[in-house]
Each structure stands twice: as structure tokens, then as C-alpha cells.
């Protein structure tokens, strides 16, 4: 890989819509955050808690973050969940040996208890034949990278940007051929992700919030991506708070510049609540 390519962030940089009317990045005031005993903390992973890396496999959990998250789990009586497009399995590998409650696979999977893996909820995986047809799109051009996320399939074309039109045309043809296939296309910057349309991060969060220890608490959600906008949108229904990372998203209570600022905020939240 050339240095230029290595320096390019590669995944999930779906350009979030910028809200031009929003103020510039400001630190999130503590007064906005209620007592942790009444709060549910919901956190996206990539680009929110962790810095984006050239490939999804290279993300890294700073040691301090693990301490902060475990402290917040304790302080919220367990009402902390990771909310990600990644699978539960993938999340566990990244945070090992720590295990967290989670909404995973864009809502396809849910973990309500960290004590018993058998209680994890899984949607049926994407239809194999459909997956095979979508996967064949990667053969359109060298440089198209296929990522099987289990409940979704991502076609990365940063190394073959000329193939963008052909990729989306091929996806459209497959959808036209299978009008009843419950799939949804998530367009991103140099990535086309295809997922089951029956769930979203928002549907996962709604379900999660019906269960202990989340039920009745005020959700605080932080995310950076287009798929997180579905969760920003439902926060008002739950008297929740939403914060975006990087760009200013529409309808959020505030935003952070970078994942490092989110980590610092969470550490301060823990310190303050312990004081
Ligand atoms: Mg993200």
C-alpha cells in the first residue's frame, strides 16, 4: 500500500449532512447530562469512541477507555450499551476481554445481559443466494473490496473509484430482479453497504430501551455516521440527548470534534459523577 493510500481513512466515512445553522464545535456542558443513576449511555463505536483507521480491522481501544467504560457501567447500574454496525462477535474481539451490552449489526443483534451469551438476540442472517449475487459485484473491477458483516455486506471501492456507477447499477438490477427482497442500500463515501431493511440502529435502540436496566432512563446517545441519524431522530421521543462527532448533525444537542474529545468527555462524566 502506498503511503498516500495508507493515510486515507477507509471505512464508514459516509458524509453526514452538515447543519450550517448549528454553532461551531463546543464542549458539551455537564448541565445537559442528568444524574448517571437515571441515564442510559448509548455509544457508537467507529468514529465515535474509536478513531477511524485505514481498515476496519486496525481499530484500537486505548487502555484508559476500558477503565472509563467499566466505571460508567458500574455507575449506571449496567445501563451502558454500544450501538454499532459491527456484529456482536466483532465488537467482542475489539473490546476483549471486556463484554458490553450492545445493539449490533445495525440493529440485527442485541445483547441485553453480559452474563449469558445464550440470551443474545440475533436476526436471521442475510439470505445466502442474495449475498452471493451481491458479492459477485466485487468482480466488476480489481480494487473493489468485499466485507461480509454477517447481517450486511459492504462493497468498498476507494481503490476503484471509477467503479462507483457500475456498483450502484448492479445493486439496482439485483433489487429490480428481487422486488420483494427486504434489503436497503446505505450509500457512503467509497462504500456501498447493503443490509436487511427490517431493522436500523434506531429500531434496536427502541427495543433496548424497553428492557432493564435501560427502561425508564434518559438515553444519551453519541454517534458520528449517517446511520446514527436514525437514532438522533428518536432521542426527543425518549426525552433523550443526542451528540454527533466530527460534523454537526441536524437535531443534536451538541457535537464533539473527534473521538478523543468523546473519550475525554466520558472520563470527565465519570469523575464528576463520583465527586
Ligand atoms: Mg460510527
Amino acid at each position: 500500500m502506498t503511503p498516500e493510500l495508507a493515510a486515507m481513512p477507509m471505512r464508514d466515512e459516509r458524509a453526514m449532512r452538515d447543519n450550517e445553522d448549528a454553532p461551531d464545535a463546543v464542549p458539551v456542558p455537564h448541565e445537559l447530562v442528568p444524574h448517571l443513576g437515571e441515564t442510559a449511555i448509548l455509544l457508537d463505536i467507529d468514529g465515535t469512541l474509536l478513531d477511524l483507521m485505514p481498515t476496519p480491522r486496525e481499530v484500537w481501544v486505548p487502555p484508559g477507555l476500558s477503565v472509563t467504560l467499566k466505571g460508567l457501567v458500574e455507575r449506571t447500574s449496567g445501563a451502558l450499551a454500544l450501538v454499532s454496525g459491527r456484529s456482536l462477535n466483532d465488537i467482542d474481539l475489539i473490546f476483549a476481554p471486556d463484554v458490553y451490552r450492545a445493539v449490533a449489526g445495525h440493529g440485527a443483534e442485541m445483547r441485553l445481559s453480559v452474563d449469558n451469551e445464550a440470551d443474545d438476540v440475533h436476526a436471521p442472517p442475510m439470505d445466502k443466494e442474495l449475498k452471493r449475487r451481491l458479492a459477485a459485484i466485487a468482480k466488476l473491477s480489481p480494487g473493489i473490496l468485499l466485507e461480509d458483516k454477517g447481517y450486511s455486506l459492504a462493497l468498498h471501492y476507494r481503490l476503484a473509484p471509477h467503479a462507483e456507477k457500475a456498483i450502484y447499477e448492479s445493486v439496482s438490477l439485483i433489487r429490480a430482479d428481487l422486488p420483494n427482497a427486504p434489503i436497503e442500500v446505505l450509500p457512503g463515501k467509497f462504500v456501498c453497504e447493503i443490509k436487511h431493511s427490517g431493522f436500523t440502529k434506531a429500531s434496536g435502540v427502541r427495543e433496548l430501551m424497553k428492557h432493564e436496566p435501560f427502561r425508564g432512563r434518559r438515553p444519551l446517545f453519541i454517534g458520528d455516521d449517517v446511520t446514527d441519524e436514525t437514532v438522533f431522530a428518536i432521542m426527543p421521543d425518549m426525552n433523550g440527548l443526542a451528540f454527533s462527532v466530527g460534523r454537526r448533525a441536524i437535531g443534536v444537542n451538541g457535537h464533539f470534534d473527534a473521538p478523543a474529545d468523546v473519550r475525554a468527555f466520558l472520563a470527565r462524566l465519570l469523575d464528576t459523577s463520583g465527586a
Side-chain angles (χ1 to χ4, degrees), residues 26-96:
V26 288
V28 176
H30 275 308
E31 306 82 72
L32 268 180
V33 182
H35 190 269
L36 286 183
E38 296 153 15
T39 305
I41 300 176
L42 312 175
L43 305 163
D44 170 56
I45 298 174
D46 295 271
T48 296
L49 278 181
L50 305 182
D51 296 285
L52 293 172
M53 289 295 174
T55 71
R57 298 280 151 215
E58 291 171 68
V59 294
W60 179 74
V61 180
L65 177 61
S66 174
V67 174
T68 301
L69 292 178
K70 281 190 274 192
L72 289 171
V73 166
E74 201 180 310
R75 214 61 63 73
T76 57
S77 307
L80 179 144
L82 303 174
V83 180
S84 177
R86 291 182 185 262
S87 66
L88 277 181
N89 191 42
D90 209 14
I91 293 173
D92 288 347
L93 289 174
I94 291 169
F95 287 91

Side-chain angles (χ1 to χ4, degrees), residues 69-244:
L69 292 178
K70 281 190 274 192
L72 289 171
V73 166
E74 201 180 310
R75 214 61 63 73
T76 57
S77 307
L80 179 144
L82 303 174
V83 180
S84 177
R86 291 182 185 262
S87 66
L88 277 181
N89 191 42
D90 209 14
I91 293 173
D92 288 347
L93 289 174
I94 291 169
F95 287 91
D98 305 329
V99 178
Y100 295 100
R101 289 175 176 81
V103 170
H106 295 293
E109 295 183 293
M110 194 166 340
R111 173 184 291 143
L112 295 165
S113 156
V114 290
D115 303 323
N116 190 356
E117 205 179 312
D119 291 340
D120 293 352
V121 180
H122 307 270
M126 191 183 264
D127 177 74
K128 275 199 177 129
E129 175 55 26
L130 174 62
K131 211 181 232 181
R132 262 196 294 274
R133 292 185 63 174
L134 291 166
I137 296 173
K139 297 201 179 75
L140 279 175
S141 165
I144 302 177
L145 304 179
L146 179 69
E147 185 190 2
D148 184 353
K149 298 171 137 190
Y151 299 92
S152 70
L153 208 65
L155 293 153
H156 298 271
Y157 52 93
R158 176 175 289 281
L159 304 180
H162 58 274
E164 180 176 58
K165 193 160 171 266
I167 289 171
Y168 281 94
E169 279 171 2
S170 301
V171 172
S172 294
L173 282 176
I174 294 171
R175 293 184 80 183
D177 210 19
L178 303 165
N180 297 320
I183 54 170
E184 178 182 0
V185 180
L186 304 175
K189 198 176 174 197
F190 298 115
V191 60
C192 172
E193 187 168 354
I194 301 106
K195 70 178 251 304
H196 196 288
S197 56
F199 40 78
T200 60
K201 280 186 169 183
S203 69
V205 164
R206 271 196 199 282
E207 184 59 31
L208 180 86
M209 291 301 296
K210 290 178 189 166
H211 298 268
E212 295 295 344
F214 300 94
R215 183 164 49 198
R217 287 170 176 259
R218 184 183 200 194
L220 166 90
F221 174 71
I222 312 178
D224 71 303
D225 211 338
V226 167
T227 54
D228 296 316
E229 291 179 358
T230 63
V231 185
F232 296 149
I234 62 166
M235 281 300 110
D237 301 348
M238 303 178 183
N239 188 32
L241 296 166
F243 299 96
S244 60

Side-chain angles (χ1 to χ4, degrees), residues 1 11 104:
M1 198 181 268
R11 77 171 297 276

